[in-house]
């Protein structure tokens, strides 16, 4: 494949005039049939590295993606643009829809198929994909495979098996946030040669890093509300709890200066979509969000991200500030630090992993049920949060307590292997302890970054790459000296509220106009 | 003007107090929380029927437990309710005179009855409101984009079932044409009769080719009213549309297709209870059903009570004789209570909790 051809495709199908750093190298290696690991900065354009090959390769390209919402979102947007025929397979589809989709895949209707990791374990799906011929298996957010990463997902660890069952197609793993440790693990699990790791610096030169110390909650609140009013938007403010973001948004809306909104997992799915759409279309100035917001958000002109609470790891921090300035223009990352903030993490950490007694109860329940149990009941009887069940089952399988584990809607089925209840419980909780230590460790590294004296940018890149990136475009960081007014809006613009007269007929007509096209229209 | 957040607090407290007052002395302080959240548990659904709390079911589906605790603390702190022991480790409450006075005042100020009354007269609406609204919403967005000649868009309603429903409605070209040509007129007709402060609450919550919908909260800021009051008024609006459509379907041939299909007997039984019902009809004993379905006996018993409520045709006599039912209902009436333990003790433990619950359910369903 000549290089011109690749560039041509890039421009004709995606409308980009040239590749960004690392993209072309990755695509070329894929076209040579290599297994590749691509480490590109947040917003560096990882999607292109599998979407472009999908157009060129004979079979299908399968993309593993960690979040259903992320996958649905990407496919819907690809369909909107109509560049590639794409579909997704995940648990949101009902059996009829899945069957229909698999038939269409057989008929060769799709080039790009997004799939959730747990679906890529189902024998029927693996068989059908294999029969169709998988030319590339792309693994997005590949750091999720590492038990020592910040976002470990058990289903990812089962992916190497799936690769084998698909007949060992070439694998492309991509991520923005892999430490050396995680990088080595990804390479080992997917048989990627060191020579086929394409790593761009994850430093984002256009982002300036600011750390602001405050002495009380009230002061922090005041500072943050002041900042969102003066900074050039649009922006995101991250907080760790729903109440925090609700209250901040409320306060901000009440002043009526900004178009502000809260966003968190406690809101209905529809509200969340609406707010995301309003944000994307520029109808909002600031979003106050928990970390539920932002994964996969691709808005080029986000000008600032503020942290009301610091995240639990530098990886999360990098992902969150990474949403700033994807258009390459300058942007501002401000983190507010109150000595009391550490307590929130202590609390979360303490509650995230089941303790021995809980694990013991879980194991005992498994041992006394007859090979199947409903998730809800199990959670209720063992007194565990639903989210921890997948993890517990995974380790129960890893430690040989059960085998042939399958999960349907809300039933787990398994074969019980041995019944040394306390032995198994002990092993599982030891593993959990280890995970917890990893998280504690990540938290410590986050905290030590907060006490960095020399340069925040350099310290951040050192954590990921072992090298100190120094490059920046506008300003560096508060250690190096920073002038925030550079990121403030000038002149300050206040939104004009137009008083509106209610007119039902007019409002409905705007929504449902008299039909423009007479010919038949097809909808997807 | 009082700050909106304070108004919101007071409004929610008032809704809570007015709704929960019929549960005084009878239920725990948490029972009404489950009703507001719209929990599908049988106990909750039965309370909704028993105490006629239809307007409140699922009124605030996103209310957090902590928020509820705060509401209770404030009601107690202001002396509107007082805690009182119910059973060994359960706490109920009584409504004080001040509470009674405060709530009836607020109720009139906000005119809440005019927005809630509808749900008493048409209890069927509640269970279907959400589905109807989502279907209508996606239908409007789709048609808006089709009419603009821009058929690929990002659907605000992500629910798969709703999406395939709307797709199926628009699949056939003649039917699609009918929708495109007729939706404006039907919607206009249905909305025109609503009060003019209700109309925008619906219309502004639609998305279309040139409009991103506003959320309830954003509307609240525009209208300078507590978000929860906006929600109450919006629900009234949607319910009114549903009722018009249901009562005169020939005037609304298109919108009528959006009303969710009635389940057998107009019931709101959970699908899990329906599954149990199916097995019961095959004469399969409770134990066996629990085993087949991988659920506990308790859950199956819950289902039985649910079935007793919703399926007048079901024969409960294998579990409850007529005589037993009569005695239980009599005792409940005599003691003015629906509390199981009190009834059971008064009848010298002659009947199981299941039997008492069945009797109350059947008695209530036939009222
Ligand atoms: N070669 C290119 N030229 C111009 N724009 C590009 C190019 N490649 C990607 N982009 C744009 O960059 C943005 C980010 O791309 P993408 O979502 O793939 O990033 P990502 O690396 O996956 O980010 P994240 O870390 O958030 O997952 C998109 O708007 C995309 O269209
Ligand atoms: Mg990405
Ligand atoms: Zn610096």
């Amino acid at each position: 494949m000549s290089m011109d051809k690749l560039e041509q495709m890039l421009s004709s199908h995606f409308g980009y005039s040239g590749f960004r750093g690392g993209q072309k190298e990755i695509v070329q290696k894929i076209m040579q049939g290599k297994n590749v690991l691509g480490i590109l900065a947040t917003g560096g354009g990882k999607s292109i590295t599998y979407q472009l090959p999908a157009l060129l390769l004979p079979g299908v390209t399968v993309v593993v993606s960690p979040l259903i919402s992320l996958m649905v979102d990407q496919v819907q947007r690809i369909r909107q643009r109509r560049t590639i025929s794409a579909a997704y397979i995940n648990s949101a589809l009902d059996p009829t829809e899945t069957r229909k989709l698999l038939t269409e895949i057989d008929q060769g209707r799709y080039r790009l198929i997004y799939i959730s990791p747990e679906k890529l374990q189902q024998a029927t799906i693996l068989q059908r994909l294999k029969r169709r011929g998988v030319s590339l298996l792309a693994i997005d957010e590949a750091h999720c495979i590492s038990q020592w990463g910040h976002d470990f997902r058990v289903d990812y660890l089962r992916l190497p098996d799936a690769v084998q069952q698909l007949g060992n197609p070439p694998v492309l793993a991509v991520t923005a946030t892999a430490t050396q440790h995680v990088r080595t693990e990804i390479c080992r699990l997917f048989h990627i040669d060191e020579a086929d790791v394409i790593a761009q610096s994850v430093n984002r030169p256009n982002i300036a890093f600011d750390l602001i110390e405050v002495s009380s909650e009230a002061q922090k609140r005041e500072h943050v509300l002041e900042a969102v009013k003066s900074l050039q938007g649009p922006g995101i403010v991250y907080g760790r709890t729903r109440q925090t973001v609700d209250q901040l948004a409320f306060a901000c809306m009440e002043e009526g200066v900004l178009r502000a909104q809260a966003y968190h997992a406690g809101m209905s799915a529809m509200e969340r979509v609406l707010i995301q759409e309003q944000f994307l279309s520029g109808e909002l100035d600031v979003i106050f969000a928990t970390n539920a917001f932002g994964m996969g958000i691709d808005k080029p002109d986000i000008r600032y991200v503020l942290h009301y609470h610091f995240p639990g790891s530098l990886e999360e921090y990098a992902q969150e500030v990474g949403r700033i300035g994807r258009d390459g223009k300058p942007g501002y990352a401000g983190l507010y630090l109150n000595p009391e903030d550490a307590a929130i993490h202590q609390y979360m950490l303490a509650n995230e992993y089941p303790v021995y007694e809980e694990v013991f109860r879980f194991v005992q329940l498994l041992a006394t049920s007859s090979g199947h149990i409903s998730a809800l009941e199990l959670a209720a009887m063992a007194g565990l949060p639903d989210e921890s069940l997948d993890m517990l089952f995974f380790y129960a399988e890893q430690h040989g307590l059960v085998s042939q584990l399958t999960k349907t809607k809300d039933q787990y089925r398994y074969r019980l292997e041995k019944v040394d209840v306390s032995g198994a419980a002990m092993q599982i909780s030891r593993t959990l302890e280890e995970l917890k230590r990893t998280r504690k460790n990540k938290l410590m590294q986050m905290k030590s970054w907060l006490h960095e004296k020399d340069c925040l940018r350099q310290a951040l890149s050192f954590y990921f790459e072992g090298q100190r990136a120094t490059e920046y475009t506008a300003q560096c960081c508060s250690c190096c000296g920073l002038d925030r007014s550079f990121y403030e809006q000038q002149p300050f613009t206040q939104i004009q509220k137009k008083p509106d007269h209610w007119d039902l007929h007019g409002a409905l007509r705007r929504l449902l106009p008299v039909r423009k096209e007479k010919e038949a229209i097809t909808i997807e | 003007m009082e700050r909106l957040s304070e108004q919101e607090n007071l409004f929610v407290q008032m809704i809570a107090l007015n709704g929960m007052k019929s549960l005084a002395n009878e239920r725990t302080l948490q029972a009404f929380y489950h009703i507001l959240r719209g929990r599908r548990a049988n106990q909750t659904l039965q309370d909704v029927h028993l105490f006629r709390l239809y307007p409140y079911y699922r009124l605030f589906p996103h209310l957090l437990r902590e928020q509820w605790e705060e509401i209770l603390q404030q009601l107690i702190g202001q002396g509107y309710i007082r805690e009182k022991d119910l059973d060994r480790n359960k706490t109920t409450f009584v409504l004080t005179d001040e509470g009674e006075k405060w709530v009836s005042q607020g109720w009139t100020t906000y005119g809440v009855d005019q927005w809630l009354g509808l749900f008493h007269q048409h209890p069927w609406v509640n269970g279907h409101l959400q589905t109807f609204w989502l279907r209508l919403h996606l239908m409007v967005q789709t048609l808006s984009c089709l009419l603009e000649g821009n058929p690929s868009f990002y659907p605000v309603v992500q629910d798969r079932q709703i999406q395939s429903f709307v797709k199926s409605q628009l699949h056939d070209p003649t039917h699609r044409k009918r929708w495109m040509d007729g939706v404006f007129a039907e919607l206009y007709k249905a909305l025109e009769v609503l009060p003019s402060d209700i109309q925008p609450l619906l219309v502004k919550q639609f998305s279309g080719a040139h409009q991103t919908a506003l959320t309830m909260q954003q509307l609240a800021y525009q209208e300078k009213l507590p978000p929860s009051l906006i929600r109450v008024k919006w629900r009234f609006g949607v319910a009114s549309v549903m009722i018009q459509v249901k009562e005169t379907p020939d005037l609304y041939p298109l919108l009528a297709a959006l009303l969710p299909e009635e389940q057998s007997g107009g019931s709101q039984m959970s699908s899990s209870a329906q599954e149990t019902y199916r097995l019961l009809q095959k004469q399969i004993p409770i134990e066996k059903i629990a085993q087949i379905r991988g659920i506990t006996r308790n859950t199956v018993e819950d289902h039985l009570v649910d079935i007793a409520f919703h399926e007048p045709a079901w024969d409960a006599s294998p579990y409850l004789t007529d005589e037993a039912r009569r005695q239980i209902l009599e005792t409940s009436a005599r003691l003015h209570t629906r509390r199981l333990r009190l009834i059971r003790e008064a009848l010298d433990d002659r009947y199981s909790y299941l039997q008492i619950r069945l009797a109350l359910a059947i008695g209530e369903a036939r009222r």
Side-chain angles (χ1 to χ4, degrees):
Chain A
M1 169 94 19
S2 76
M3 298 214 305
D4 300 347
K5 179 80 191 293
L6 286 184
E7 255 126 23
Q8 236 169 35
M9 297 281 293
L10 184 72
S11 116
S12 62
H13 286 84
F14 298 93
Y16 303 144
S17 53
F19 282 104
R20 286 188 180 163
Q23 285 178 331
K24 186 159 60 181
E25 291 84 337
I26 294 174
V27 174
Q28 281 175 323
K29 284 200 182 282
I30 292 169
M31 297 312 292
Q32 292 162 11
K34 298 254 173 68
N35 288 349
V36 185
L37 168 60
I39 304 178
L40 303 185
T42 48
K46 293 182 278 295
S47 317
I48 287 289
T49 63
Y50 49 80
Q51 288 176 355
L52 183 55
L55 286 169
L56 296 165
L57 293 165
V60 288
T61 292
V62 174
V63 183
V64 179
S65 179
L67 279 187
I68 291 185
S69 56
L70 189 61
M71 164 173 2
V72 175
D73 202 78
Q74 292 212 350
V75 169
Q76 252 150 8
R77 292 182 198 281
I78 290 173
R79 285 189 181 159
Q80 246 174 327
R81 274 186 269 120
R82 296 163 181 268
T83 18
I84 320 175
S85 47
Y88 58 80
I89 306 177
N90 59 38
S91 54
L93 298 185
D94 62 37
T96 342
E97 289 174 308
T98 311
R99 260 195 305 279
K100 181 162 162 267
L101 193 64
L102 287 172
T103 314
E104 292 173 348
I105 290 173
D106 279 343
Q107 297 162 346
R109 267 197 58 184
Y110 302 107
R111 288 191 161 272
L112 191 58
I113 296 163
Y114 284 76
I115 192 165
S116 54
E118 81 277 2
K119 284 283 165 186
L120 205 51
Q121 258 115 67
Q122 291 182 4
T124 46
I125 291 182
L126 282 165
Q127 280 161 13
R128 300 291 279 272
L129 287 174
K130 185 173 181 192
R131 202 163 66 195
R132 166 74 175 90
V134 175
S135 291
L136 174 65
L137 183 71
I139 297 164
D140 203 4
E141 313 288 350
H143 56 267
C144 293
I145 201 172
S146 170
Q147 298 187 63
W148 320 121
H150 69 288
D151 193 14
F152 170 52
R153 289 163 197 250
V154 288
D155 286 321
Y156 263 67
L157 252 194
R158 300 193 170 106
L159 289 176
D161 264 355
V163 176
Q164 232 172 26
Q165 292 188 54
L166 287 173
N168 291 306
V171 173
L172 165 64
V174 292
T175 174
T177 45
T179 56
Q180 192 58 47
H181 195 150
V182 171
R183 172 175 161 168
T184 315
E185 201 169 352
I186 295 174
C187 286
R188 182 175 61 80
L189 290 166
F190 292 114
H191 310 290
I192 298 169
D193 287 341
E194 189 53 40
D196 297 322
V197 179
I198 306 291
Q200 288 289 117
S201 167
V202 296
N203 176 37
R204 296 282 311 276
N206 60 331
I207 302 177
F209 299 91
D210 196 4
L211 245 169
I212 303 101
E213 294 193 20
V214 296
S215 52
S216 72
E217 203 56 20
Q219 197 190 14
K220 180 154 74 173
R221 211 180 123 94
E222 205 177 295
H223 276 274
V224 168
L225 288 174
E226 195 275 318
V228 299
K229 270 185 283 176
S230 55
L231 286 168
Q232 173 68 49
I236 308 174
V237 180
Y238 282 108
R240 296 300 280 190
T241 69
R242 293 177 192 181
Q243 278 102 316
T244 312
V245 299
D246 262 340
Q247 282 167 8
L248 286 169
F250 227 82
C252 205
M253 287 161 93
E254 217 149 35
E255 288 188 27
V257 186
L258 292 173
R259 298 169 302 175
Q261 259 301 308
Y263 184 105
H264 54 69
M267 299 164 81
S268 71
M270 189 151 134
E271 276 177 308
R272 282 183 289 170
V273 172
L274 279 182
I275 289 162
Q276 184 174 317
E277 286 300 297
Q278 291 171 357
F279 189 63
L280 290 177
S281 65
E283 292 166 44
L284 295 174
D285 300 310
V286 56
I287 278 201
F288 293 89
T290 58
N291 55 4
F293 181 75
M295 227 214 210
I297 274 264
D298 182 33
K299 182 172 169 61
D301 61 345
I302 295 174
R303 294 271 69 89
Y304 69 83
V305 164
L306 303 182
H307 278 93
Y308 191 86
H309 297 125
F310 63 85
S313 66
L314 281 166
E315 284 90 335
E316 280 166 86
Y317 178 76
Q319 291 270 5
E320 286 166 5
V321 301
R323 287 163 196 146
I324 299 170
R326 294 187 169 203
D327 54 9
K329 295 183 189 148
Y332 171 82
L335 189 152
Y336 291 80
L337 187 60
N338 175 4
E340 288 163 27
D341 291 343
I344 289 195
H345 289 285
Q346 237 66 53
Y347 177 80
M348 286 188 169
L349 206 58
N351 285 291
E352 189 166 334
Y353 296 99
V355 296
Y356 176 76
E357 287 72 34
E358 291 166 323
V359 176
F360 183 81
R361 237 177 308 157
F362 167 83
V363 172
Q364 211 172 26
L365 283 165
L366 284 204
T368 51
S369 357
S370 43
H372 59 88
I373 191 158
S374 107
L376 281 177
E377 265 183 58
L378 180 58
M381 290 198 283
L384 288 163
D386 306 358
E387 306 86 67
S388 61
L389 294 181
D390 279 348
M391 182 167 64
L392 284 169
F393 266 108
F394 175 79
Y395 289 113
E397 194 176 21
Q398 253 206 347
H399 292 300
L401 180 69
V402 299
S403 66
Q404 295 166 26
L405 178 66
T406 54
K407 186 186 179 188
T408 53
K409 226 161 180 74
D410 48 36
Q411 283 264 328
Y412 290 95
R413 291 177 184 280
Y414 56 89
R415 220 182 79 188
L416 194 66
E417 287 297 340
K418 59 175 191 213
V419 277
D420 172 14
V421 170
S422 48
M426 192 69 84
Q427 282 181 324
I428 295 175
S429 38
R430 234 179 260 139
T431 311
L432 294 179
E433 275 305 314
E434 241 174 288
L435 284 181
K436 196 167 167 177
R437 258 199 304 281
T438 310
R439 292 292 291 270
K440 269 195 186 146
N441 203 7
K442 299 229 165 272
L443 183 59
M444 259 169 48
Q445 278 169 304
M446 176 81 223
K447 284 191 197 158
S448 83
W449 184 78
L450 295 174
H451 295 110
E452 171 66 28
K453 291 283 174 296
D454 293 339
C455 173
L456 292 170
R457 176 187 310 280
Q458 290 184 26
L460 188 63
S461 59
F462 186 77
Y463 175 76
F464 287 109
E465 312 173 306
Q467 282 172 22
R468 299 183 173 272
T470 52
E471 190 199 346
Y472 63 88
T473 51
Q475 302 199 32
C476 185
C477 71
S478 50
C479 299
C480 298
L482 184 138
D483 171 17
R484 203 184 78 181
S485 64
F486 180 77
Y487 301 95
E488 292 175 355
Q489 44 185 335
Q490 315 137 349
F492 182 68
T493 43
Q494 185 132 0
I495 330 159
Q496 300 293 318
K497 281 210 187 116
K498 41 178 193 293
D500 52 358
H501 249 7
W502 179 245
D503 157 28
L504 178 63
H505 196 275
L508 260 191
R509 257 299 168 231
R510 263 194 306 287
L511 202 56
L512 298 164
V514 181
R515 162 172 202 183
K516 286 197 176 144
E517 287 176 35
K518 287 287 175 204
E519 75 272 28
I521 294 167
T522 52
I523 56 165
E524 295 233 0
Chain B
M1 190 185 80
E2 252 176 314
R3 286 161 57 94
L4 207 48
S5 48
E6 279 153 29
Q7 278 188 48
E8 166 73 2
N9 267 345
L10 288 176
F11 184 75
V12 176
Q13 282 172 35
M14 187 190 72
I15 291 274
L17 189 54
N18 199 63
M20 68 196 278
K21 68 185 182 191
S22 57
L23 301 180
N25 284 315
E26 296 274 338
R27 292 288 184 269
T28 67
L29 283 163
Q30 298 311 320
F32 193 62
Y33 170 69
H34 297 311
I35 292 175
L36 286 176
R37 290 266 303 195
R39 189 164 86 149
R40 287 188 196 287
N42 298 61
Q43 181 65 53
T44 303
L45 291 171
Q46 288 154 23
D47 282 350
V48 170
H49 290 284
L50 281 173
F51 297 98
R52 317 251 133 209
L53 293 170
Y54 304 107
Y56 298 94
Y57 185 68
R58 250 189 96 77
L59 185 56
F60 302 135
H62 301 293
L63 191 69
L64 292 177
R65 174 76 74 169
E66 302 89 82
Q67 290 170 307
W68 178 247
E69 288 304 327
E70 209 172 303
I71 292 169
L72 291 180
Q73 284 322 310
Q74 280 164 343
L75 292 175
I76 293 167
Q78 267 139 353
Y80 297 156
I81 58 173
R82 245 197 345 265
E83 288 181 276
K84 185 183 155 193
D85 283 346
L86 182 64
D87 286 339
R88 270 142 308 188
N89 41 27
K90 290 185 179 162
T91 315
T92 184
F93 64 96
V94 289
L95 183 70
T96 65
D97 290 344
E98 300 91 90
E100 182 73 60
K101 215 171 92 198
W102 177 74
V103 78
S104 64
Q105 244 170 28
W107 210 249
T108 343
T109 315
Y110 281 111
V112 190
D113 271 335
Q114 59 181 315
W115 315 123
L116 292 185
L118 215 59
F119 292 89
H120 280 300
Q121 293 135 31
H122 307 272
W124 63 272
V125 168
N126 214 333
H128 295 317
L129 192 135
Q130 183 69 4
T131 308
F132 178 79
W133 170 253
L134 292 180
R135 288 175 175 183
L136 179 61
H137 193 287
L138 185 58
M139 190 55 107
V140 167
Q141 190 188 9
T142 310
L143 292 171
S144 172
C145 294
L146 283 176
L147 288 165
E148 275 296 328
N150 122 37
S152 92
F153 62 94
Y154 190 78
V156 167
V157 176
Q158 289 286 311
D159 185 305
R160 303 283 314 173
Q161 279 174 358
I162 304 283
Q163 289 185 351
S164 40
F165 174 85
V166 170
K167 257 186 227 172
S168 73
Q169 281 290 314
L170 299 176
H171 188 70
D172 171 55
T174 22
H175 204 57
R176 179 161 71 233
K177 184 171 177 318
R178 226 174 287 148
W179 268 107
M180 288 171 69
D181 293 339
V183 66
F184 177 88
E186 278 195 26
L187 210 48
Y188 185 76
K189 187 163 42 186
L191 294 175
E192 191 189 24
V193 293
L194 299 182
S196 64
D197 58 332
I198 301 290
Q199 293 169 3
L201 301 188
L202 273 72
V203 178
K204 289 180 183 180
Q205 282 192 76
F206 288 127
S207 273
H210 302 299
Q211 168 174 330
T212 315
L214 295 183
T215 64
M216 211 79 74
Q217 238 199 8
Q218 290 167 332
L219 276 171
Y221 279 94
Q222 268 192 11
E223 307 287 324
K224 302 197 172 31
L225 289 176
S228 297
L229 175 57
I230 294 282
R231 184 174 166 80
V232 166
K233 293 169 81 171
W234 161 80
R235 281 172 99 238
F236 166 83
V238 180
S240 308
V241 172
M242 289 170 75
I243 291 163
Q244 286 177 68
V245 171
K246 169 124 172 174
E247 290 181 346
T248 48
D250 37 328
L251 294 180
Y252 301 97
L254 295 171
L255 295 184
L258 303 183
L259 284 175
E261 310 64 34
E262 289 291 340
Q263 292 153 333
S264 55
S267 83
Q268 300 168 10
M269 210 159 53
S270 69
S271 60
S272 182
Q274 283 173 20
E275 178 60 20
T276 296
Y277 187 40
R278 207 176 53 75
L279 297 173
L280 269 183
Q281 285 169 319
K282 294 187 182 163
Q283 316 295 330
I284 301 173
I286 297 185
E287 256 340 308
K288 187 82 188 165
I289 292 179
Q291 209 184 346
I292 294 174
R293 303 204 46 209
I295 55 184
T296 61
R297 189 193 161 91
N298 276 340
T299 311
V300 179
E301 291 190 355
D302 283 345
H303 290 166
L304 255 57
V305 181
D306 207 9
I307 294 164
F309 253 116
H310 295 295
E311 292 292 342
W314 180 56
D315 174 20
S317 60
Y319 311 97
L320 178 75
T321 62
D322 280 350
E323 173 58 18
R325 193 180 77 222
R326 204 186 46 72
Q327 282 197 17
I328 293 168
L329 288 177
E330 230 174 60
T331 310
S332 160
R334 180 165 51 84
L335 302 176
H336 295 292
T337 189
R338 295 189 177 97
R339 281 168 58 199
L340 306 181
R341 197 172 60 82
L342 296 186
I343 297 173
R344 185 154 194 240
E345 280 170 6
L347 288 165
D348 304 323
D349 292 354
R350 236 172 303 152
Y351 303 113
S352 68
Y353 282 120
L354 175 64
Q355 288 175 311
I356 299 171
R357 290 168 65 197
L358 284 175
L360 291 175
I362 293 170
E364 185 60 31
R366 308 238 162 114
R367 213 165 69 177

